[in-house]
Amino acid sequence: MAVEVGLERLEEARATMLELFPEGFEEVDRPEGVELAAYTDAGGEERLWHFFGGARSDDVKVGWEDRWRTFHKPVRVGALWIGPPWETPPVGPLAVVVDPGRAFGTGSHPTTQLCLQFLQGLERGSFLDVGCGSGVLSIAAALLGFAPVLGVDTEAPSIEATRENARANGVELEARLVTADDALPPAATAVANISLASVEGLPARLDVARLVTSGYLESEQPRLPGFEHVERRTLGGWGSDLYRRAPG
Ligand SMILES: C[S@@+](CC[C@H](N)C(=O)[O-])C[C@H]1O[C@@H](n2cnc3c(N)ncnc32)[C@H](O)[C@@H]1O
């Protein structure tokens, strides 16, 4: 399903889409605005109509499950190249090859890119990826020298995709299915590219020295008791933040 919105409604529409489809959606520039597309079932279609009642919407043809492949293009983020298995990585950058399957995380979403930017500047050590999706951030972390690496997610297809992509990239990491309330294993650095509400639930579940967060709009910023804000970066209307554990 896709809705087309004018630029004046874009920020509000993005926030709604993020709430409706936290697993991800796409943005495509159109002559009179932006198309926001989510690959979803009848339930998702109903939610979309509820929120965007007056907006134009189109059924995505049979095969939507694989249509994301059209949008899966390689990206460069600092020392990293992230791309699909059917593209040849260039010589030089560290290559992260991802086939997300039904999970989120081609590497091209601004929130993923912002997390990848932050990771490259952080001290290496143990690493926790909360909401690993395709495993793109876990695999990048392992290639950058973080160890041990653990990816957790609330969705079984994400765990499968992370394990398969780790194998394909020849990196060692663990992927574990969790609930949204489980206490999480301690780590020196954690990254969480999940919704704002889920990020704000992390302090109660997390024992880390550094935390990179994203998954929310540029206009939003998580409140994280027990953490100090260090740095903010933005890209394409999305926000990402680096925090460190407050002393004491
Ligand atoms: C936006 S995707 C991020 C995927 C990948 N890490 C990236 O940066 O491209 C968010 C992922 O987090 C998972 N997720 C959402 N809320 C979560 C929570 N509270 N705990 C663990 N995983 C969660 C979703 O199932 C989804 O796979």
Side-chain angles (χ1 to χ4, degrees):
M1 286 294 292
V3 291
E4 196 170 320
V5 295
L7 291 177
E8 70 290 348
R9 283 188 61 205
L10 183 57
E11 174 130 342
E12 182 198 345
R14 270 191 191 133
T16 303
M17 289 294 282
L18 191 63
E19 217 168 287
L20 295 178
F21 305 104
E23 65 281 13
F25 60 91
E26 288 168 1
E27 293 187 24
V28 182
D29 287 334
R30 296 287 179 218
E32 291 180 7
V34 175
E35 184 187 78
L36 303 173
Y39 302 132
T40 185
D41 55 14
E45 187 172 333
E46 197 179 316
R47 281 181 283 155
L48 206 60
W49 270 108
H50 177 74
F51 282 91
F52 293 96
R56 188 179 73 80
S57 65
D58 297 315
D59 279 334
V60 174
K61 304 284 175 289
V62 172
W64 60 266
E65 297 96 330
D66 291 318
R67 212 191 98 183
W68 59 267
R69 286 175 184 269
T70 321
F71 298 91
H72 194 354
K73 302 272 188 269
V75 287
R76 278 295 303 270
V77 184
L80 297 164
W81 175 95
I82 302 100
W86 54 90
E87 297 276 351
T88 308
V91 178
L94 283 173
V96 181
V97 178
V98 271
D99 186 341
R102 303 289 185 265
F104 180 104
T106 60
S108 60
H109 197 273
T111 56
T112 312
Q113 293 193 42
L114 287 164
C115 293
L116 290 167
Q117 283 181 16
F118 270 127
L119 295 192
Q120 294 179 58
L122 297 180
E123 192 182 317
R124 306 311 195 241
S126 54
F127 186 86
L128 175 66
D129 179 5
V130 185
C132 54
S134 65
V136 56
L137 297 177
S138 293
I139 293 163
L143 289 170
L144 288 166
F146 290 88
V149 173
L150 170 64
V152 299
D153 204 289
T154 50
E155 300 289 333
S158 299
I159 301 306
E160 263 170 54
T162 296
R163 288 181 183 150
E164 273 168 33
N165 284 317
R167 251 193 309 277
N169 283 271
V171 299
E172 283 222 358
L173 57 80
E174 191 190 336
R176 204 184 287 174
L177 190 63
V178 294
T179 72
D181 305 315
D182 283 346
L184 296 164
T189 299
V191 65
N193 182 11
I194 52 183
S195 68
L196 182 69
S198 300
V199 167
E200 290 188 329
L202 286 177
R205 309 168 57 202
L206 207 54
D207 175 11
V208 295
R210 282 172 296 280
L211 174 60
V212 175
T213 59
S214 194
Y216 41 83
L217 300 172
E218 188 176 347
S219 55
E220 301 172 319
Q221 189 175 334
R223 279 181 303 263
L224 300 180
F227 286 86
E228 289 176 347
H229 188 254
V230 179
E231 191 181 339
R232 154 149 281 231
R233 294 188 189 184
T234 58
L235 183 66
W238 298 86
S240 181
D241 295 277
L242 171 63
Y243 295 84
R244 68 172 160 243
R245 168 77 64 192

